[in-house]
Amino acid sequence: MEGIDGRLEQVDGDARFAEFVAERGEALMRYGYVLAGNPHDAADLVQEALLKVRAAWPRLRSKDNPESYARTTMARLHIAAWRRRRREQLTWEPPDREHRDALPSGDERAMWLALSGLPRKQRAVLVLRYYEQLDDAEIAKVLGVSRGTVRSQASRALDKLRAAVPAEWSAVGEGAR
């Protein structure tokens, strides 16, 4: 009888995992896109993270927030990727033709372009700070760096963004605070 109970538990766990993916998959893709800067890397991050979540599912399903585990896993996978490719410049399109993703129009376009031009570590720090609403200590823990590194990367990234966006737009952003 134990074999049957174990199989029933596995089927139930599979159904719960499938339900989790169906409910939170789009949110994880959006997070991956903001973190990675392109839909291809975002899809890879989500797939790799979901494989790890599935492997840990027996432990996670009793917890309140398996999505937090998935997001942390995605951030760590993203950081591991830029550590491996520090000096490489990867491109999705061959150099003989230009491709631009559809971006918001106007001033937001300048901000998105500036954000996508940041180094991966700086972009990861800003995404975790402003998109995930994490504080410096939490960001440092997720990225495996010191709090001072988080602050310096955030400062450098914000300086680059301020220099890259139109002056009239950054003045609007200052007034909104």
Side-chain angles (χ1 to χ4, degrees):
M1 275 306 212
E2 286 181 324
I4 292 173
D5 290 342
R7 281 183 265 160
L8 289 175
E9 186 176 315
Q10 182 179 4
V11 169
D12 184 43
D14 290 344
R16 288 184 184 170
F17 178 73
E19 184 179 302
F20 166 74
V21 172
E23 288 177 3
R24 302 308 306 155
E26 283 188 43
L28 291 174
M29 277 297 292
R30 286 191 302 272
Y31 175 63
Y33 182 81
V34 173
L35 191 61
N38 70 66
H40 307 292
D41 285 342
D44 288 346
L45 280 174
V46 171
Q47 288 175 359
E48 288 184 56
L50 288 177
L51 286 172
K52 292 185 182 296
V53 168
R54 178 61 186 107
W57 190 253
R59 286 190 334 261
L60 293 176
R61 67 180 173 174
S62 63
K63 304 253 191 255
D64 289 334
N65 193 0
E67 185 175 356
S68 175
Y69 181 88
R71 288 176 181 255
T72 299
T73 300
M74 289 171 65
R76 288 181 177 163
L77 288 168
H78 175 69
I79 297 306
W82 61 253
R83 282 184 178 149
R84 283 190 306 269
R85 300 184 281 195
R86 240 179 226 170
R87 292 186 174 94
E88 288 183 35
Q89 279 293 7
L90 301 178
T91 179
W92 290 106
E93 297 295 327
D96 58 339
R97 62 183 175 135
E98 181 179 353
H99 171 76
R100 299 205 184 255
D101 288 334
L103 294 172
S105 61
D107 296 329
E108 285 183 3
R109 170 176 251 168
M111 180 61 75
W112 279 104
L113 289 172
L115 184 63
S116 69
L118 291 176
R120 295 172 73 94
K121 186 184 278 188
Q122 292 176 8
R123 186 170 59 234
V125 167
L126 292 186
V127 167
L128 292 171
R129 179 179 278 179
Y130 296 106
Y131 187 78
E132 285 294 307
Q133 304 288 318
L134 299 181
D135 63 27
D136 289 348
E138 293 168 320
I139 295 169
K141 184 177 177 186
V142 167
L143 300 181
V145 298
S146 71
R147 287 175 31 177
T149 299
V150 170
R151 287 191 295 273
S152 69
Q153 292 296 313
S155 176
R156 290 178 187 147
L158 291 172
D159 287 345
K160 288 180 183 179
L161 288 179
R162 285 184 192 108
V165 297
E168 64 274 4
W169 197 78
S170 58
V172 170
E174 293 292 322
R177 289 186 190 173

